[in-house]
């Protein structure tokens, strides 16, 4: 089946290196035949969380929030491109994620972590596993961790160097894990409605 994947990216920094990673993932999943939407928190521009999407009466949510909600609701699976800030999560991605709740339920999420340093955002990834599980998603057991993000892509956005090569080697298992769970959840939702 064609899987509809939403890739979420959350950096607001001026020199965003992780955007190349997010775009690589979009292309790589599309090359596998999936439908993919990129949700870039900076482009969406939601304010710091005041009211969640569900707290607006129908048809009154801001247009950008409504658009993101429609992508989330339509997706079979999610990829969180998670940079590490001071051993923790990016505030932009967390803020975007927190505007929604039930919209995430009963679908799998995969974490593609990154950092400029050698630990590849793994500390942020551990935080995200707990956050996404609490928000009603099943988190896959295969993370995709990219160290040295600032030198892992060339000027065209293609993976390069040792870290880029490692990314290309590890992507197929990451993608297959997410797609398996997406297909399983899709079939189960068709078989019987979620319990809540």
């Amino acid at each position: 089946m064609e899987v509809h994947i939403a890739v979420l990216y959350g950096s607001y920094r001026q020199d965003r290196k992780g955007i190349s990673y997010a775009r690589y993932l979009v292309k790589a999943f599309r090359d596998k035949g999936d439908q993919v939407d990129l949700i870039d928190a900076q482009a969406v521009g939601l304010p710091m969380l005041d009211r969640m999407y569900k707290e607006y009466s129908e048809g009154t949510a801001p247009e950008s929030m409504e658009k993101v909600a429609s992508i989330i609701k339509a997706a079979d699976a999610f990829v969180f491109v998670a940079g590490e800030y001071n051993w923790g999560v990016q505030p932009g991605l967390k803020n975007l994620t927190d505007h929604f709740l039930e919209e995430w339920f009963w679908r799998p999420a995969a974490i593609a972590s990154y950092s400029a340093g050698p630990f590849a955002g793994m500390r942020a990834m551990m935080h995200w596993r707990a956050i996404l599980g609490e928000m009603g998603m099943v988190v896959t057991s295969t993370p995709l961790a990219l160290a040295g993000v600032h030198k892992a892509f060339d000027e065209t956005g293609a993976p390069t160097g040792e870290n880029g090569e490692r990314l290309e080697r590890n992507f197929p298992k990451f993608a297959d894990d997410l797609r398996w769970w997406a297909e399983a959840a899709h079939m189960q939702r068709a078989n019987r409605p979620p319990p809540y």
Side-chain angles (χ1 to χ4, degrees):
M1 77 176 242
E2 177 187 78
V3 176
H4 183 178
I5 298 170
V7 174
L8 296 101
Y9 175 67
S11 175
Y12 277 68
R13 297 186 70 169
Q14 183 175 346
D15 298 315
R16 304 188 314 160
K17 302 303 181 189
I19 192 67
S20 294
Y21 190 17
R23 289 176 180 148
Y24 165 82
L25 292 167
V26 168
K27 181 182 183 312
F29 276 107
R30 284 182 180 156
D31 288 348
K32 287 179 102 29
D34 297 316
Q35 178 184 344
V36 188
D37 288 301
L38 174 61
I39 301 174
D40 179 350
Q42 185 185 57
V44 172
L46 294 177
M48 288 301 294
L49 180 60
D50 175 23
R51 296 176 71 194
M52 295 177 72
Y53 175 70
K54 68 180 182 178
E55 295 171 326
Y56 287 90
S57 333
E58 188 172 343
T60 65
E63 184 179 342
S64 59
M65 189 183 292
E66 197 68 64
K67 182 177 178 184
V68 172
S70 67
I71 292 170
I72 293 170
K73 289 179 201 175
D76 296 305
F78 309 105
V79 174
F80 287 81
V81 184
E84 181 177 309
Y85 287 11
N86 299 318
W87 289 36
V89 301
Q90 285 174 323
L93 185 57
K94 181 69 167 70
N95 184 59
L96 172 69
T97 304
D98 285 342
H99 276 83
F100 307 94
L101 184 58
E102 289 86 354
E103 294 77 21
W104 303 112
F105 285 7
W106 309 108
R107 266 98 31 91
I111 302 166
S113 65
Y114 71 92
S115 69
F119 298 115
M122 293 300 286
R123 293 170 293 213
M125 185 271 295
M126 295 305 293
H127 290 290
W128 277 111
R129 288 186 65 79
I131 293 164
L132 300 178
E134 173 61 24
M135 296 183 78
M137 290 167 261
V138 173
V139 182
T140 63
S141 61
T142 307
L144 189 64
L146 178 62
V149 67
H150 58 292
K151 52 188 177 183
F153 301 94
D154 66 19
E155 61 280 349
T156 71
T160 189
E162 183 181 334
N163 291 329
E165 290 170 12
R166 187 177 302 111
L167 171 62
E168 291 191 295
R169 274 195 319 272
N170 293 335
F171 174 77
K173 182 178 178 186
F174 172 80
D176 288 347
D177 191 2
L178 180 63
R179 294 182 92 257
W180 190 94
W181 282 104
E183 290 173 12
H186 181 84
M187 287 188 287
Q188 182 64 2
R189 287 193 309 275
N191 182 44
R192 64 182 257 216
Y196 57 87

